[in-house]
Structure formats: structure tokens, C-alpha cells
Amino acid sequence: MIVSRRAVSAYLARKLDDHTWIKRVKKAELLDEIKRFKVRPIFQTPSWEHQLACWWLCLHYPRFMMALTMGAGKTKIVGDTITQLLRERKIHRALVVVPRIINIDSWVTDLDNHTSLEPWPIFTSDIEEKRELFHHPKGEVTIIDFQSLQWAL
């Protein structure tokens, strides 16, 4: 498939959203804003300032992508976001797709540490069992790796 140069140029020149303003918002201001939520959030563990800012952005911009470094608490932010969306009844459950099966353990551990969410990890190597577990989840957050998701579907 050939893509025109004009289409590529237009795509690269498109106006992107800029969320750098959130870096100037202080934690106290974020907490005041959060107090106004119709459904008060519940955080099982305290959040750092950047985690609160990203969490707020994730709730207000559903397609927001966090480009945080390793160890910055992305899993906690996502867990807190899923918890809030469940509490607001905007979702019924969530699907987390990780790069490799070894990443599932850290997600289960972090969700257990930072939320009250019930993870539903799919570890099995049997394709039929994988498919069954995926299509009939028992937890609030199904966690599966890319390759297993392909097999499950």
C-alpha cells in the first residue's frame, strides 16, 4: 500500500494536544479538584504528585498515553483509574494486555498492593483453557500477554 507524501506530511504536521500545563498544578490544587468528584475516589496507597496528575488526566482524557519512566507508578495509576471507573459505573471490568507472560506477575502484585481490584491473570499454556479463561473472566481486571490474547481470540 502506498501512502501519499502529502498524507504523511499532514499527519506529521497535525496539532497535538499539549498537557504540560498539568506539571504546574500543585498537589494541593489536584486534591481540591478531586474533592469535587461526584464519586469520591478511594486510593488504597498514597499517590505521588505526578501519579495524581496522570490519574486525573487519564480520567478526563480516555486516550491519554502516559510516557513515564520505569518505577514511576504507571501500574498504580492504571489500577486507580480502573477502580474509579468501576466506582462511577463507567466500566464493568478491564483488560490489561502486557508484552510478555512474565509481566503478568508484577501486575498482579502491584494491583494487590495498590488497589482492591480482583485480578484475573491468564497464565495457562493450553490454548483452549486460555480461550475459556479469557472469555469467562471471574475478576475485575483480566491480565493477559499479547501472544495469549491472539490465541484466545
Side-chain angles (χ1 to χ4, degrees):
M1 177 172 139
I2 299 173
V3 179
S4 76
R5 287 184 187 166
R6 190 172 29 177
V8 170
S9 294
Y11 177 78
L12 293 174
R14 75 194 186 285
K15 181 160 175 39
L16 299 174
D17 290 338
D18 181 5
H19 299 288
T20 55
W21 59 268
I22 197 81
K23 293 180 179 184
R24 294 185 298 275
V25 178
K26 300 293 179 214
K27 188 172 184 175
E29 293 173 277
L30 280 169
L31 292 172
D32 284 344
E33 176 70 25
I34 290 167
K35 286 178 189 171
R36 295 189 199 119
F37 279 32
K38 194 174 191 176
V39 177
R40 283 280 179 99
I42 297 173
F43 299 106
Q44 189 167 308
T45 57
S47 298
W48 297 326
E49 188 170 348
H50 74 278
Q51 290 172 328
L52 279 177
C54 286
W55 176 82
W56 189 93
L57 287 169
C58 286
L59 288 174
H60 288 84
Y61 300 92
R63 298 174 82 190
F64 184 74
M65 183 186 95
M66 293 179 287
L68 301 174
T69 60
M70 198 160 102
K74 293 178 293 294
T75 307
K76 176 190 170 17
I77 297 165
V78 171
D80 288 342
T81 302
I82 292 168
T83 299
Q84 185 66 18
L85 293 173
L86 285 167
R87 295 186 73 242
E88 292 177 0
R89 299 184 190 276
K90 291 183 178 176
I91 63 171
H92 301 293
R93 66 177 53 95
L95 172 65
V96 171
V97 183
V98 298
R100 292 179 178 71
I101 202 162
I102 60 168
N103 303 113
I104 293 173
D105 267 337
S106 65
W107 268 86
V108 170
T109 301
D110 284 354
L111 288 177
D112 285 343
N113 288 341
H114 298 294
T115 72
S116 60
L117 295 169
E118 182 184 348
W120 181 250
I122 300 179
F123 286 115
T124 184
S125 58
D126 180 72
I127 294 174
E128 287 306 315
E129 187 179 357
K130 197 178 293 284
R131 190 172 288 130
E132 178 66 22
L133 292 170
F134 179 76
H135 288 286
H136 303 303
K138 294 199 174 28
E140 296 160 312
V141 182
T142 300
I143 309 168
I144 191 169
D145 64 286
F146 285 114
Q147 186 66 51
S148 295
L149 178 62
Q150 181 181 357
W151 289 335
L153 296 174

